[in-house]
Amino acid sequence: MKDTMMKDSLRPQGVTLHTTLPAAAVAPSDTSVTLVPDSMEDSFFFRALEKQGILLNAPQIEAVRHGEGPLLTLAGAGCGKTTVLTARTGYLLSVRQVDPKQILLVTFTTKAAGEMKSRIAALPGVNARTAKAIEARTFHSFGLLLLRRYGQLTEDIFGDTRAQHGVIQRLRREINSTSTTPPETLLAMLSAIKLEGKTAEDLPKDTPEERDRCALLCRYEEWKRNYNRIDFDDILLRTEQLLENEGLLATLQQRFQYIMVDEFQDTNRLQYGMVDKLAQQHRNLMVVGDDDQTIYSFNGARQEYILDFPKRYPGTRIIALDINYRSHPQILGLGVKLIAHNEARHAKTLQAGASEGQSPRYLRPAHADEEADWIVQRLRQQQDDGYALGDIAILHRTVSGTRAIAERLLMEDIPFIQYGEAPVFYDHSLIRPVMDHLRLAVNPRRMEALPGVIGPLYISRDVGMDYIMSQEQKQAKKYPLIHLYHWERLQTFQRQQVKERIVFLKKLRELKPLYAIREIRRVFYDKFASADFSGPATRHKDTIRETLDELESAAGKFATVEEMVTFADELTIKREQMIELMKQADPQGIHLMTVHRAKGLEFPCVYLLGASEGILPHKAALQDEAPEDVKAGQGVSGPDPDGKLMQAALEEERRIAYVAVTRAKHELYVSSPAMHHGKTVPPSRFLVEAFRGK
Ligand SMILES: Nc1ncnc2c1ncn2[C@@H]1O[C@H](COP(=O)(O)OP(=O)(O)OP(=O)(O)O)[C@@H](O)[C@H]1O
């Protein structure tokens, strides 16, 4: 591997050399060891925790000891919210002798709910059976549990976004809808109105376009009913209705005497409503959260719920946790200074529990490929130094941001675990149809690539493939696609398209890959995905465009289409081999994930990729006008009033950056590529601002 000359530095580009490095103050170190003497009745619990290395500080102890009544635990990143929540559960069980069946713990992801359970099981005085008796669930899974146990749930869950979009498009044709609103905007509108407690029929109907949208979404809701499907919003709505049964509600209130909610800053109206109802009588509701970590507002999360909790629950005890035990003062300092630039937040002064450590390092690679080269080189050194790969996370803002790094990791045989999307960029669902065109251009008989070309012809993939394969049995063709031309089921225009497609595939082969991709985008890809599209933006369109732009960036390094296809195929094989190897030998892998997925997690070493303007903050937050689906999700139509949505979008991006840097314990590398999709981009404003102070 070539030795990259790029050097990391102590300040991002644009910050002068004499600027002081951000660093948080180091906290005093009073802990349960001195705060809870042996003479106290509950000291046995704290002694046992201490043996496990959990030395709680004064406000943490206060929260753990909290008995009855509402409690709001507000805390900064890494200040022990989850630790306190699990320790309080342990305290209720072993000191207050509460029946585990009376405890309900709610959080946002299945992973977090599982982790909470295992952390509780490891606490003093808690055995596996007790831990199992506690309900620790996500809101949706708790809703489903209630619906299955006390309601009538016969439907299947319909949660796949692509499938939802497909149904919307089909229904649009079916009812001859003239609405041009993209599916993602329609679904965001539907979700927003349902979260308000209304239905599709309540959507505005003042203009022909609005009436059309309303008709389409009502038809969509009807389709779900007819096909026995419910989506995630429906689960919460149905639970809300179920809880209107006063007898049942009283039973559940009696059953769940202690309710605790983690990541409370991310609750939406229905989720909040669920726990609020259950806690109405006893008011034993403990919520923990950090308003600086609200990064799911597109799902209806509202910071106001955490900010206004004491108004809803008068007499709320408020405990602030302000000592961060996760990160070194230098890493925490960056997070603290960065987030201070947000307006909509509770001001906090976080201190570091850990002593001095290494300052974050900043990189300014020319582009994502150089960024990946540098990181891989550094990873090699870390491996030599005995670093476990499982202790390292590579975080990125968007899914397309992993293309270069995943490629390098695969080429260098460095094991990694990728969360969410297809492991190889070229196999990504949005990219696949383009790659399949290239594959067929190189080898027209690549049968597995044919479906990717059939879909955009408006022919059912499965039926089309069955037809081609049956005809191939009779007579194999150099271009198997040609069979469709002779298929009597197709209309004349479709047959014509088949012919044109074959001519097109032949032409592609002769082009440089970059131009071949541009041609595919120009000619075939949905018009909103092309680079020059200028209609209303939505996040979904942005993602498609961004992903295809990334493919163009990747294509620049290949001389021929064949070379690019061979490389992509090689990566797929390598990834399969790596997954197989990891299954057999169980070697630890680096965690490669979006910042959203890293929420609530921590790693000794974090690499944050793409900390440049347009990536983080994402360019969707830098436009003059908020994307259509974001507006719809916030229940806003027409122009963004006073640019408030854009301001809110930018603050959410800053929170994403804050969540990213505060995942790191000991080492943090922040990289700001200078070029992104052919444009020069400065380092993220969030970094530069952090050095300026506020
Ligand atoms: N009193 C303490 N003494 C030592 N370590 C602690 C203490 N409290 C928490 N920790 C450790 O600090 C780290 C962060 O704690 P935890 O994950 O509970 O924080 P959090 O507030 O939920 O974080 P975030 O919201 O950023 O995900 C963990 O490694 C935890 O074990």
Side-chain angles (χ1 to χ4, degrees), residues 295 397 595-596 616 651-660:
I295 57 172
R397 169 71 182 87
V595 180
H596 281 91
L616 181 62
E651 296 215 344
E652 178 126 332
E653 291 294 311
R654 200 179 272 109
R655 290 193 291 270
I656 294 171
Y658 173 71
V659 168

Side-chain angles (χ1 to χ4, degrees), residues 70-283:
L71 170 64
L72 167 63
T73 309
L74 271 175
C79 291
K81 287 183 291 296
T82 314
T83 306
V84 160
L85 208 115
T86 47
R88 176 173 182 242
T89 309
Y91 192 93
L92 286 174
L93 295 171
S94 52
V95 181
R96 293 186 186 271
Q97 303 292 320
V98 167
D99 180 348
K101 288 210 181 76
Q102 294 187 321
I103 299 177
L104 171 64
L105 280 161
V106 201
T107 186
F108 277 82
T109 63
T110 317
K111 193 167 186 286
E115 263 184 31
M116 202 123 80
K117 273 204 156 194
S118 55
R119 273 165 87 163
I120 292 167
L123 288 171
V126 185
N127 57 36
R129 248 190 48 218
T130 321
K132 214 164 164 229
I134 295 168
E135 287 298 351
R137 290 177 176 269
T138 64
F139 281 102
H140 288 99
S141 118
F142 183 61
L144 276 176
L145 174 85
L146 296 184
L147 291 171
R148 290 201 173 113
R149 194 170 290 168
Y150 305 105
Q152 283 178 334
L153 185 76
T154 52
E155 293 95 335
D156 293 326
I157 315 280
F158 186 53
D160 181 73
T161 316
R162 267 164 61 88
Q164 290 172 343
H165 289 187
V167 171
I168 291 268
Q169 295 294 46
R170 220 172 49 238
L171 297 177
R172 197 197 293 272
R173 284 194 291 274
E174 206 178 286
I175 65 166
N176 292 324
S177 161
T178 51
S179 158
T180 50
T181 313
E184 62 274 20
T185 308
L186 289 168
L187 289 169
M189 282 174 174
L190 183 63
S191 185
I193 197 115
K194 283 164 76 174
L195 288 181
E196 275 177 44
K198 299 181 191 157
T199 67
E201 274 142 39
D202 299 315
L203 282 162
K205 294 185 250 332
D206 296 333
T207 64
E209 169 72 17
E210 284 177 351
R211 282 191 287 279
D212 205 72
R213 281 181 200 158
C214 177
L216 179 52
L217 287 171
C218 287
R219 178 74 191 86
Y220 175 71
E221 293 289 82
E222 187 188 330
W223 179 91
K224 280 194 304 175
R225 280 192 297 277
N226 292 345
Y227 284 85
N228 222 26
R229 309 281 168 88
I230 52 170
D231 60 25
F232 292 128
D233 292 334
D234 297 327
I235 296 174
L236 299 179
L237 279 164
R238 291 272 288 272
T239 314
E240 185 184 48
Q241 287 158 8
L242 185 72
L243 294 180
E244 274 162 20
N245 175 336
E246 286 180 11
L248 174 65
L249 181 61
T251 310
L252 294 171
Q253 285 170 339
Q254 187 61 27
R255 154 90 198 261
F256 297 110
Q257 288 285 326
Y258 296 89
I259 303 174
M260 291 177 252
V261 186
D262 199 5
E263 309 273 4
F264 188 67
Q265 72 279 356
D266 280 329
T267 37
N268 65 34
R269 189 192 67 85
L270 291 172
Q271 292 162 330
Y272 186 14
M274 200 191 291
V275 287
D276 187 46
K277 270 193 170 152
L278 293 176
Q280 250 165 38
Q281 293 301 321
H282 50 64
R283 299 174 81 242

Side-chain angles (χ1 to χ4, degrees), residues 30-32 53-58 60 75-86 115 119 262-263 265 288-290 293 321 323-327 353 598-602 658-659 662-663 665:
D30 284 344
T31 70
S32 54
I54 307 174
L55 283 70
L56 301 180
N57 62 38
Q60 287 180 326
C79 291
K81 287 183 291 296
T82 314
T83 306
V84 160
L85 208 115
T86 47
E115 263 184 31
R119 273 165 87 163
D262 199 5
E263 309 273 4
Q265 72 279 356
V288 298
D290 178 3
Q293 292 187 66
L321 306 180
I323 304 178
N324 172 303
Y325 291 95
R326 176 178 296 144
S327 316
K599 191 144 167 290
L601 305 180
E602 62 185 19
Y658 173 71
V659 168
T662 54
R663 300 307 96 197
K665 290 166 90 167

